[in-house]
Amino acid sequence: MTADIIDGDAVADAVRDDVATTAESLSAAGVEPTLATVLMGSDPASETYVSLKQDDCAEVGIEARDVRIDGDAPASELYDAVAELNDDPDVHGVLVQQPLPDQVDDDEVVRAVDPRKDVDGFHPENLGRLVRGNARYVPCTPLGVQRLLAEAGVDTAGADVVVVGRSTIVGKPLATRLTTKNDSGNATVTVCHSRTDDLAAKTRAADVVVAAVGVPELVDGSMLAEGAVVVDVGINRVERDGESTLVGDVDYESAREVAGAITPVPGGVGPMTRAMLLVNTVRAAGLVEGVDVALEAV
Ligand code: NAD
């Protein structure tokens, strides 16, 4: 069997089109959806991510503010900037780019963002709502994975799903969403991690495997059931034949011989994460301004 490719670029394009239409109708109602990104320091990868987010906003008609803070500044400067954005009625989404310098407490920053403007969905209030099945903002990567599963025609109800990785930004919220009693959930989910015994036995028993580990090509074809759907969240830079290249957490070549459908890296989950930030931002604009936004991401 050679797997169908789940084209994240194409799905992300469709999501962006829907966001652009929503942004246009918000604008017609007098609301200019606005996202503020906050970057502290000059980590090159973070600089790239922030500039991509700024470009993505421009493409769909979302205003973007680009707040920069010196990497050596005291943590209070970051909290003050976040407080100012929380209070600014023209700003609807606030995103603080991680990782942060050592003098900053990551948890405190997550809690500092107004939960109504928390487009990353990391604030404890928003994670709590997600667990209660009443999500306000679903973190962008899990939301992107759910949309890709829907596009691949996966009926999650009753499906056996293995999520490899238990991070707060991907593995845990995704597992929670997939077990939630609704049309994009109702799965039976096993969460695997660094202390899981016999990972291959778990993944081999799954209808769907989601890898969010950060270990290059950890999941290979021998660890999959014939016809399984495989979603690769990983983004790992490795040296191959003297060149730097990107690979996922799945060994794509062996996995596609066994899987029924698979996401590539790049071009799978990555573009979906970016698109879902735009979805959360127009939804935040609606919420903050009290305007109905009928944009279903999944
Ligand atoms: P993390 O680094 O916070 O956590 C990794 C998880 O993998 C941990 O829960 C750990 O227990 C588990 N793990 C580590 N080694 C393991 C092993 N050998 N077997 C089983 N489990 C193991 O993870 P994260 O922030 O969720 O990121 C995971 C990967 O996804 C990284 O490559 C990251 O770059 C990528 N990522 C991609 C996107 C995207 O948009 N595509 C978004 C977020 C993260």
Side-chain angles (χ1 to χ4, degrees), residues 49 140-141 164-171 192-196 199 211-215 218 232-236 247-249 268-274:
Y49 288 136
C140 302
T141 302
V164 193
R166 57 179 162 186
S167 72
T168 311
I169 62 170
V170 186
C192 298
H193 46 76
S194 51
R195 302 296 294 272
T196 293
L199 176 65
V213 195
V215 177
L218 175 76
D232 189 352
V233 178
I235 303 177
N236 309 291
V247 299
D249 293 340
V269 176
M272 293 303 295
T273 297
R274 287 168 56 184

Side-chain angles (χ1 to χ4, degrees), residues 66-292:
D66 186 354
V67 178
R68 303 276 169 136
I69 297 170
D70 195 279
D72 295 325
S76 58
E77 212 168 299
L78 176 61
Y79 301 134
D80 290 348
V82 169
E84 207 172 299
L85 295 167
N86 285 344
D87 289 344
D88 187 334
D90 295 331
V91 170
H92 306 113
V94 177
L95 180 149
V96 181
Q97 185 65 43
Q98 306 248 6
L100 289 159
D102 289 346
Q103 72 273 29
V104 179
D105 177 342
D106 292 5
D107 275 352
E108 201 168 333
V109 177
V110 165
R111 284 196 304 273
V113 175
D114 179 338
R116 296 184 320 146
K117 298 189 177 186
D118 169 39
V119 285
D120 263 336
F122 296 162
H123 190 285
E125 179 178 315
N126 288 322
L127 286 175
R129 290 181 62 129
L130 185 145
V131 171
R132 290 184 63 88
N134 177 27
R136 178 192 275 146
Y137 301 117
V138 177
C140 302
T141 302
L143 190 56
V145 171
Q146 283 198 288
R147 173 65 178 262
L148 288 177
L149 291 176
E151 294 283 339
V154 174
D155 181 4
T156 50
D160 288 316
V161 178
V162 166
V163 175
V164 193
R166 57 179 162 186
S167 72
T168 311
I169 62 170
V170 186
K172 274 193 245 176
L174 177 63
T176 305
R177 284 283 290 177
L178 290 172
T179 52
T180 298
K181 191 173 179 180
N182 63 26
D183 289 346
S184 54
N186 281 326
T188 303
V189 180
T190 304
V191 180
C192 298
H193 46 76
S194 51
R195 302 296 294 272
T196 293
D197 188 29
D198 201 352
L199 176 65
K202 313 278 189 298
T203 53
R204 247 182 247 126
D207 303 310
V208 177
V209 175
V210 181
V213 195
V215 177
E217 299 171 332
L218 175 76
V219 177
D220 66 22
S222 73
M223 299 167 68
L224 298 169
E226 187 84 21
V229 174
V230 179
V231 178
D232 189 352
V233 178
I235 303 177
N236 309 291
R237 192 157 281 288
V238 296
E239 289 288 320
R240 285 283 149 83
D241 306 322
E243 286 192 15
S244 163
T245 184
L246 281 186
V247 299
D249 293 340
V250 176
D251 174 30
Y252 186 75
E253 291 309 325
S254 65
R256 66 193 290 247
E257 298 303 319
V258 183
I262 187 167
T263 62
V265 176
V269 176
M272 293 303 295
T273 297
R274 287 168 56 184
M276 290 310 180
L277 174 64
L278 305 172
V279 168
N280 281 351
T281 301
V282 288
R283 295 190 59 240
L287 179 75
V288 170
E289 301 278 355
V291 178
D292 262 352

